[in-house]
Amino acid sequence: MEKTWNNKAWFLVLPVLVLVAFSAVIPLMTVVNYSVQDTFGNNVFFWAGTEWFEELLSSSRFWEAMVRNLIFSFIILSIQVPLGIFIALNMPKKGWGVPVCLVLMALPLLIPWNVVGTIWQVFGRNDIGLLGYYVNALGIDYNYVQDPFDAWVTIIIMDVWHWTSLVVLLCYAGLVSIPDAFYQAAKIDGASRWAVFRYIQLPKMQRVLLIAVLLRFMDSFMIYTEPFVVTGGGPGNSTTFLSIDLVKTALGQFDLGPAAAMSLVYFLIILLLSWVFYTVMTNYDAER
Amino acid sequence: MARIDVNHVRHSYLPNPRTDADFALREVHHTFEDGGAYALLGPSGCGKTTLLNIISGLLHPSHGQLLFNGRDVTNLSTQERNIAQVFQFPVIYDTMTVYDNLAFPLRNRGVPEADVDRKVRETLEMIDLASWAKKKARGLTADQKQKISLGRGLVRSDVNAILFDEPLTVIDPHMKWVLRSQLKQLHRRFGYTMVYVTHDQTEALTFADQVVVMYDGGIVQIGTPAELFERPRHTFVGYFIGSPGMNVMPVAIDGKTATLGSQRIELPGAPKADSGAIELGIRPEYVRLGRDGMAVSISKVEDVGRHKVVRAKLEGRDIAAVIGEDETVPAEPKVRFDPAGINIYADSWRVEMGA
Ligand SMILES: Nc1ncnc2c1ncn2[C@@H]1O[C@H](COP(=O)(O)OP(=O)(O)OP(=O)(O)O)[C@@H](O)[C@H]1O
Ligand SMILES: [Mg+2]
């Protein structure tokens, strides 16, 4: 069939373009604009070129935050993905247990970020928090306000509690789409539990897992509210992630130029890493 | 290889079945002889797949017992029963290659790799996919997938029985024919007990020594293709087997005579039927069209190749007759029933004729 060219189509996508322009492109361009200028207030700007970028990339504070982010994302993914798969595999597939489990799983996802932070901030306190008090009562010295390790453990448990459900729900959706005939065939073929997982369930979950990993990676890499509420980035700088640092720079010190440069770099990193994840996982898919 | 006794098996998918209507299998009591080739024939929803799944252990029957060679296996798992089953909807492991798909049932049972290779290559040859061995199963067409599914059922030669659930539905007619004859060959070579479910009566009649006809959750007749054709035990078998199906008409019986409206039909004997709704069944092949007998009005003549099917009305009821390719319909058509082809039914079940 011959392709017909019709310029009216442009007209139809115009509203979307305008919307995207206002919501994404224009703010992004202002950030780009700020990132190459300097200001001392009063709306007076000076051309600064790549100065902010150079300063940023050579600052150890930036790289330390970046490493913290990467470690955090890595830990989060390596806990939430296997745990999510495990829970999804063990959820009931029919009967009254299904809605119950689904609602339980969806609950943490419905709670606003800052509330999650507050819940855990209180939960972990060793004077009035249930968790903090009893952990200390068991003789374990736990104090997320002073001990960086405890602060990390708290934030990680909090994130696992908050977001594992997302992985569970996505995997579960993949699992219930597998027709019964596959399990029957596996029984006839004498497949072990592991073989059923490896050759039937995992392949069916692969697509949703890709989405889960991408979402969880981007989200954990951009994490801001919860650690900010719980630890405020401390003790010291031990839980200061890029986003927290960014807000400190932009709003705390009102250094618009460096903050803009930082946002751009941050944005590019997320874009780059997401692209890497996506390519690796889809290539792996095509290869097999 | 095993003789399979299905002992008074009933099955319901409901947790608390009460009436007969709650049972997908009302009652099946039958022996599949060791090494027999059985076709299971019946309309959609009559319980064919349910019966197969009970034999293979995928379903546990609500009532009854299953014996393999006399040993009770009702509570054994599918694995322990060692049965191969090919499903109605093809199942393939699409991340594996074609070769690995076929090797899967063998490797799971720890068969040495050399034997695996030999068996898999043999099977690939048989299903005509040898050149596809290294391909991913994912990209294959529907009929290739069905062949793989079939192949996985055939790759193990030590099984007690092979159950086929309409294994050839999406395969093209020529290949169907080829595969069917290969199944027959395999059957002769290894002598497994084979049960073959199908909707298609020609497939059933060509494949099997014994055809089991199921209807509404039960077995209505078991017999050779000839028996099913000549002496259907139930009017359903008469309708279902044969094309067109048997003519069935309500009659009144008096000794060796049946009365159909104003017509009197001589019977080969006196049916031993004294109660119930009496019907006379005669296959179109035994309805003789000519110049004497009962007057009919012709509605249609269908030329189906080797013969013609004449649709007519006799006493206001539809009746079909089969005539030869070269025969013509007479000007004032009349029909006679060949006594050899007459069966009498009381409440749909066949009754014997006395002298
Ligand atoms: N998993 C199930 N749960 C509940 N009812 C079922 C289930 N499987 C089958 N049935 C019912 O049991 C009856 C027999 O079904 P079965 O699948 O054995 O029929 P079949 O003869 O194989 O039909 P087909 O030719 O369409 O495959 C049907 O009424 C069907 O609706
Ligand atoms: Mg079926």
Side-chain angles (χ1 to χ4, degrees):
Chain A
M1 215 176 73
E2 216 176 292
K3 236 181 202 169
T4 47
W5 287 96
N6 188 342
N7 286 323
K8 267 188 214 147
W10 289 110
F11 183 69
L12 295 177
V13 293
L14 195 66
V16 179
L17 287 181
V18 171
L19 212 69
V20 171
F22 272 97
S23 65
V25 181
I26 293 177
L28 188 65
M29 288 328 287
T30 19
V31 173
V32 172
N33 192 24
Y34 282 137
S35 73
V36 291
Q37 301 190 62
D38 195 3
T39 176
F40 302 107
N42 300 334
N43 261 342
V44 189
F45 288 93
F46 307 91
W47 175 253
T50 57
E51 191 185 323
W52 300 131
F53 290 96
E54 282 160 30
E55 191 183 301
L56 178 74
L57 294 179
S58 57
S59 86
S60 60
R61 174 170 142 180
F62 171 76
W63 288 111
E64 280 162 16
M66 166 92 114
V67 167
R68 268 179 228 123
N69 260 54
L70 287 173
I71 294 177
F72 180 72
S73 290
F74 176 78
I75 295 177
I76 287 301
L77 283 180
S78 51
I79 294 176
Q80 289 181 356
V81 172
L83 184 64
I85 293 176
F86 178 79
I87 295 175
L89 286 176
N90 288 292
M91 260 165 71
K93 300 288 178 296
K94 48 178 160 265
W96 57 268
V98 176
V100 173
C101 284
L102 288 180
V103 169
L104 280 181
M105 283 295 141
L107 272 183
L109 298 176
L110 298 175
I111 303 176
W113 286 244
N114 55 347
V115 177
V116 172
T118 313
I119 291 175
W120 283 82
Q121 203 259 350
V122 175
F123 196 45
R125 279 171 64 162
N126 42 23
D127 47 355
I128 55 167
L130 268 180
L131 176 75
Y133 181 82
Y134 284 105
V135 166
N136 277 297
L138 288 175
I140 301 164
D141 186 20
Y142 165 84
N143 186 338
Y144 69 81
V145 185
Q146 281 161 17
D147 186 312
F149 179 77
D150 292 350
W152 269 76
V153 169
T154 311
I155 293 177
I156 285 168
I157 294 179
M158 173 177 68
D159 200 83
V160 168
W161 174 82
H162 193 185
W163 286 112
T164 306
S165 319
L166 180 74
V167 184
V168 173
L169 292 178
L170 283 169
C171 290
Y172 186 72
L175 283 177
V176 292
S177 73
I178 302 176
D180 251 0
F182 278 82
Y183 296 112
Q184 298 188 334
K187 274 193 199 157
I188 295 285
D189 292 340
S192 61
R193 182 72 195 80
W194 166 250
V196 170
F197 175 69
R198 173 69 186 76
Y199 297 110
I200 296 177
Q201 294 172 321
L202 196 57
K204 280 281 182 221
M205 280 192 292
Q206 199 175 346
R207 257 161 229 282
V208 284
L209 265 183
L210 170 67
I211 295 171
V213 168
L214 275 181
L215 280 179
R216 284 314 302 131
F217 168 72
M218 288 191 287
D219 245 23
S220 63
F221 201 76
M222 295 189 293
I223 190 164
Y224 171 73
T225 317
E226 300 97 315
F228 181 77
V229 173
V230 177
T231 64
N237 272 336
S238 64
T239 54
T240 299
F241 297 111
L242 284 173
S243 58
I244 296 180
D245 204 23
L246 178 63
V247 174
K248 274 186 191 161
T249 316
L251 302 179
Q253 300 154 237
F254 217 72
D255 287 334
L256 287 186
M262 195 167 156
S263 316
L264 279 183
V265 172
Y266 193 22
F267 172 67
L268 289 178
I269 291 170
I270 291 181
L271 209 61
L272 178 77
L273 287 175
S274 300
W275 177 79
V276 169
F277 267 107
Y278 185 79
T279 322
V280 169
M281 291 187 75
T282 43
N283 271 359
Y284 179 64
D285 190 32
E287 233 173 69
R288 285 200 306 138
Chain B
M1 275 139 262
R3 187 184 81 235
I4 300 171
D5 294 295
V6 181
N7 266 355
H8 299 287
V9 163
R10 286 158 71 73
H11 185 74
S12 172
Y13 287 99
L14 304 175
N16 299 307
R18 271 181 287 272
T19 64
D20 250 9
D22 293 344
F23 283 87
L25 276 189
R26 284 159 195 243
E27 165 131 357
V28 172
H29 183 69
H30 176 60
T31 299
F32 295 94
E33 294 297 341
D34 189 3
Y38 294 86
L40 212 56
L41 196 61
S44 200
C46 70
K48 304 181 296 286
T49 302
T50 307
L51 179 58
L52 288 200
N53 287 351
I54 286 174
I55 294 176
S56 62
L58 293 172
L59 275 178
H60 190 270
S62 319
H63 300 282
Q65 224 187 3
L66 220 78
L67 309 180
F68 284 9
N69 286 333
R71 191 165 80 101
D72 187 351
V73 296
T74 320
N75 294 315
L76 292 192
S77 70
T78 302
Q79 279 244 33
E80 292 164 303
R81 294 189 196 187
N82 196 21
I83 280 207
Q85 184 172 3
V86 178
F87 294 89
Q88 197 165 358
F89 305 100
V91 173
I92 55 152
Y93 304 108
D94 51 20
T95 55
M96 294 188 204
T97 61
V98 171
Y99 183 99
D100 290 337
N101 256 278
L102 295 189
F104 192 60
L106 299 172
R107 288 180 180 152
N108 283 331
R109 290 181 170 77
V111 174
E113 202 57 26
D115 291 345
V116 171
D117 191 63
R118 191 173 47 77
K119 290 294 311 177
V120 169
R121 289 194 185 286
E122 216 170 87
T123 312
L124 278 172
E125 233 18 91
M126 188 161 33
I127 57 175
D128 199 24
L129 284 180
S131 52
W132 293 77
K134 293 277 167 284
K135 290 262 187 347
K136 293 281 171 206
R138 164 172 309 177
L140 301 184
T141 60
D143 64 324
Q144 287 169 326
K145 288 183 180 178
Q146 197 157 41
K147 284 193 209 164
I148 295 179
S149 208
L150 180 66
R152 273 209 324 277
L154 300 176
V155 78
R156 291 152 59 201
S157 47
D158 63 333
V159 291
N160 280 323
I162 309 189
L163 313 177
F164 301 94
D165 201 345
E166 304 185 36
L168 305 177
T169 40
V170 302
I171 303 219
D172 71 77
H174 171 70
M175 194 63 204
K176 230 181 200 170
W177 189 84
V178 172
L179 286 174
R180 218 157 46 210
S181 30
Q182 274 167 344
L183 289 183
K184 288 217 80 158
Q185 269 180 25
L186 269 187
H187 178 246
R188 270 186 230 116
R189 185 164 143 211
F190 293 110
Y192 334 94
T193 311
M194 282 193 179
V195 183
Y196 189 104
V197 168
T198 174
H199 268 109
D200 176 350
Q201 44 167 308
T202 24
E203 198 164 287
L205 301 182
T206 52
F207 173 82
D209 322 326
Q210 291 272 304
V211 178
V212 179
V213 184
M214 289 185 68
Y215 175 61
D216 201 15
I219 293 179
V220 285
Q221 187 168 7
I222 301 159
T224 61
E227 282 166 358
L228 295 183
F229 189 81
E230 302 286 342
R231 297 281 169 255
R233 266 191 66 206
H234 189 276
T235 48
F236 169 75
V237 181
Y239 291 127
F240 198 69
I241 307 261
S243 160
M246 191 167 71
N247 300 301
V248 178
M249 50 207 89
V251 291
I253 297 282
D254 179 21
K256 291 170 94 175
T257 334
T259 323
L260 170 68
S262 61
Q263 310 286 353
R264 294 168 62 79
I265 301 161
E266 291 305 316
L267 302 178
K272 295 170 187 154
D274 34 18
S275 64
I278 308 292
E279 286 164 307
L280 180 149
I282 183 151
R283 291 212 173 266
E285 288 80 357
Y286 288 101
V287 176
R288 306 283 176 242
L289 194 67
R291 293 185 201 287
D292 48 47
M294 301 171 278
V296 293
S297 61
I298 308 289
S299 8
K300 201 162 57 174
V301 179
E302 297 161 7
D303 196 333
V304 293
R306 271 167 300 171
H307 57 245
K308 292 182 199 164
V309 176
V310 180
R311 307 271 178 192
K313 286 218 185 286
L314 168 65
E315 295 289 314
R317 323 194 122 262
D318 289 319
I319 185 171
V322 168
I323 59 174
E325 176 66 8
D326 312 322
E327 283 177 60
T328 49
V329 180
E332 270 179 35
K334 305 228 166 98
V335 294
R336 272 189 314 109
F337 293 167
D338 184 339
I342 294 180
N343 290 292
I344 298 295
Y345 297 88
D347 287 333
S348 303
W349 292 94
R350 185 170 178 274
V351 290
E352 289 299 326
M353 305 237 199

